[in-house]
Amino acid sequence: MDLGTPRTANDAARPPAPRLNSDAPWDAFDPQAYVDHNYGRLRSDDAKILEVVRKHFADHFRDTLDATGARLRGIDVGPGANLYPSMSMLPWCETITLYEHSAANVGYLRGQRESYDAHWDQFWDALCEQEVYARRVADPRAAFARAARIEQGNLFDLGERSERWQIGTMFFVAESLSTSEAEFLLAVERFMRVLEPGAPFAAAFMEGSLGYQVGDTLFPACSVTTADVRRSLSPFAEGEDVAITPVGMPGGALREGYEGMIVACGRRGPA
């Protein structure tokens, strides 16, 4: 018998209270458990995302950069313990800021910077199916070590920054930080506003996510659709043009409580 506060019919019908980004224990995030579950092998859904993103960046830069070397400033907002979004920008970047909130994930990223673990090689090999990756980056570990700038910070604070970046990624972040639609939209806006006009971007999302567990800790999510993703990005994209690719679950579900993955690519519009 429950001897706590009695529940009424109205209580039963009341939706759960929103769980905001500030409510979640981000420093308790277990990066090794996350990597082991998500990135120990290259799944078919990640392979599809890499295919879309490598083509988008390669097409964008095909006629704009010569072979003299990488010169751009890139940013990956909220990398967590995932290196492949940053790796996707390596051929064109002199520096890549990995802007991460969780102290635990910052520690993981710093530990990977000088020589990342061998399982990330399969993700680099997938990127190299677009020939520009292998042509412009002879040694991806050395290139990552030179380019990576690990910085701890909350993405909602990016609005206070004066820096602007020339290429950017944000994977599985905006919809995976709270249950709030308003915070989802604000997270996308913060990401897009730190990009220079014309900067190519790639963003990935869990579709229909109800939350997720990392190790023993539950983290919140906002359930989004392809329409929500387009609505969040279009106001900041060049010509409001965003290429949306539903990825689904081609290799089966990664975990319970989501409906697939979505990748979105475009260019930043006028500021």
Side-chain angles (χ1 to χ4, degrees), residues 179-204:
T179 63
S180 166
E181 181 184 12
E183 287 200 331
F184 161 72
L185 293 171
L186 181 59
V188 172
E189 178 181 350
R190 289 288 189 262
F191 166 60
M192 293 296 285
R193 287 195 184 279
V194 299
L195 301 179
E196 288 188 354
F201 66 84

Side-chain angles (χ1 to χ4, degrees), residues 82-133:
N82 181 4
L83 300 190
Y84 81 67
S86 294
M87 296 167 78
S88 74
M89 297 185 280
L90 272 180
W92 304 283
C93 287
E94 181 176 10
T95 63
I96 300 173
T97 299
L98 286 78
Y99 190 81
E100 171 59 30
H101 181 42
S102 163
N105 287 334
V106 167
Y108 173 83
L109 294 169
R110 287 175 175 161
Q112 295 291 304
R113 178 168 50 192
E114 292 306 314
S115 182
Y116 55 73
D117 291 341
H119 65 85
W120 293 110
D121 291 338
Q122 59 196 318
F123 295 84
W124 179 254
D125 290 344
L127 287 167
C128 286
E129 292 183 31
Q130 200 82 29
E131 62 84 25
V132 66
Y133 283 85

Side-chain angles (χ1 to χ4, degrees), residues 160-175:
E160 302 170 6
R161 301 285 289 264
S162 60
E163 297 99 321
R164 294 295 178 265
W165 285 266
Q166 297 157 308
I167 179 174
T169 54
M170 183 177 69
F171 279 38
F172 310 119
V173 176
E175 81 292 3

Side-chain angles (χ1 to χ4, degrees), residues 50-68:
L50 287 164
E51 176 189 339
V52 172
V53 173
R54 74 193 183 214
K55 184 177 187 305
H56 172 61
F57 287 152
D59 286 350
H60 176 85
F61 290 115
R62 179 165 286 116
D63 299 320
T64 59
L65 290 179
D66 60 27
T68 58

